[in-house]
Amino acid sequence: MQHDEVIWQVIRHKHCSYMAKIETGIFCRNPYNVTGICNRSSCPLANSRYATIRDHDGVFYLYMKTIERAHMPKNLWERVKLPRNYEKALETIDKHLLYWPKLLQHKIKQRLTKMTQMRIRMRKLALKTREKIMTTPRRDIKRELRREEKAVKAAVLDKAIETELLERLKKGIYGDIYNYPELEWNKVLDEEKQVAEGLEEEEEEEEPEIEYVEGYEELEEEEDMEDFSGFPSKMSDFNDDEHDSADEEEDEEQVVIHKKGKRDSRKPDDDLGKSKKKKKRVVVEMEQEDGDVIRTLKTAS
């Protein structure tokens, strides 16, 4: 038969593994304790009718113990899940602890309030990003530095050996008989191919340059064709061509050879007078629908 007063006298005055005595007071480390203080009303071992609230991964549960289940340690505590809403959780506590002592009900509600505030603060802290200071032993730091130095030296040495061997191989020092690593040789060949392909691509990418040159000066002297009144026949075109050729022959410069072997390209005075009197002519070509080309001469003013 369980007797609460006897249990309390033994625990309080002799020995309790959950008791923690410090300068500020005596506390209890039992996870089922409501207040965390070691006294008669808060001790879960010395009270056959007891209730508390516990947290499991952010979910609150109401634990209740009665004298009817004292002989069954397996089913000693009855657990009820509390809703996340604070007001609904209070209603659930009032429903299940309707005929329990008022002091115990008040302590349980106080514990629910504190645990709810703690859960809110935990969520806020989880959302914040804070710096975490990590300590590293000196031995580990020195060991890593030595390893890095050795790795750098080994890499430089390997690169120097590879370069020297490639230079000797290109110069033909070893001749035809040599045992060169196949992987390194393939690597060099791939690099040379890449360089050659890059040069070819650059040549293909080069586009031909576009140049602009001057047009014919005679085209600048052409006038509008609005004043042109008629189209001459083919026979008139041929006659005009003959007249043009005769005029060009008359305009040719007369070359006089002197005794010293020099050439004089000066024109006689009569020829100069005639050439000044002659007017410039412009040849105009027009293509008809049947494919014939008509040439006409027009005197420039």
Side-chain angles (χ1 to χ4, degrees), residues 262-301:
K262 295 182 180 179
R263 293 184 179 181
D264 189 1
S265 62
R266 291 178 295 178
K267 292 182 179 180
D269 297 335
D270 298 335
D271 296 338
L272 290 173
K274 292 179 182 179
S275 62
K276 288 180 181 180
K277 292 178 182 180
K278 291 180 182 179
K279 296 181 179 180
K280 296 181 180 178
R281 293 182 180 181
V282 180
V283 180
V284 180
E285 293 183 1
M286 297 186 67
E287 185 177 353
Q288 294 181 353
E289 293 182 357
D290 56 355
D292 297 331
V293 178
I294 300 172
R295 296 182 182 178
T296 60
L297 289 174
K298 188 174 181 182
T299 304
S301 58

Side-chain angles (χ1 to χ4, degrees), residues 44-174:
L45 301 177
N47 291 281
S48 58
R49 191 181 188 186
Y50 195 77
T52 185
I53 296 176
R54 295 191 64 184
D55 181 14
H56 293 282
D57 298 331
V59 182
F60 296 156
Y61 291 92
L62 174 65
Y63 283 79
M64 294 172 290
K65 180 177 75 169
T66 58
I67 190 67
E68 290 80 12
R69 294 191 299 275
H71 65 286
M72 295 185 296
K74 181 181 178 181
N75 302 322
L76 183 62
W77 294 93
E78 179 184 358
R79 189 175 75 172
V80 178
K81 183 180 179 180
L82 297 176
R84 286 187 172 274
N85 192 350
Y86 178 71
E87 295 179 356
K88 291 182 179 180
L90 291 176
E91 292 177 0
T92 306
I93 291 171
D94 292 335
K95 179 182 177 182
H96 287 84
L97 303 179
L98 182 61
Y99 301 105
W100 289 57
K102 297 294 181 181
L103 180 62
L104 187 59
Q105 292 182 19
H106 179 65
K107 289 180 179 178
I108 290 171
K109 290 179 181 178
Q110 280 185 335
R111 184 176 175 83
L112 176 66
T113 305
K114 292 291 183 183
M115 292 177 70
T116 305
Q117 293 174 354
M118 182 188 68
R119 183 168 61 183
I120 293 170
R121 288 197 300 270
M122 287 174 63
R123 289 176 181 174
K124 288 182 179 179
L125 291 173
L127 293 174
K128 291 182 180 179
T129 55
R130 295 182 296 175
E131 295 181 357
K132 188 176 181 181
I133 300 173
M134 301 290 292
T135 58
T136 307
R138 289 185 178 179
R139 292 182 180 179
D140 296 345
I141 295 172
K142 292 181 180 179
R143 184 169 60 249
E144 293 297 331
L145 291 174
R146 287 196 298 269
R147 288 178 179 176
E148 288 179 3
E149 291 177 359
K150 291 180 181 178
V152 170
K153 291 179 181 178
V156 171
L157 183 61
D158 292 342
K159 190 66 178 177
I161 293 171
E162 180 182 353
T163 307
E164 184 67 22
L165 290 174
L166 289 173
E167 289 179 358
R168 293 183 181 181
L169 185 62
K170 290 178 181 178
K171 291 178 181 178
I173 296 174
Y174 301 111

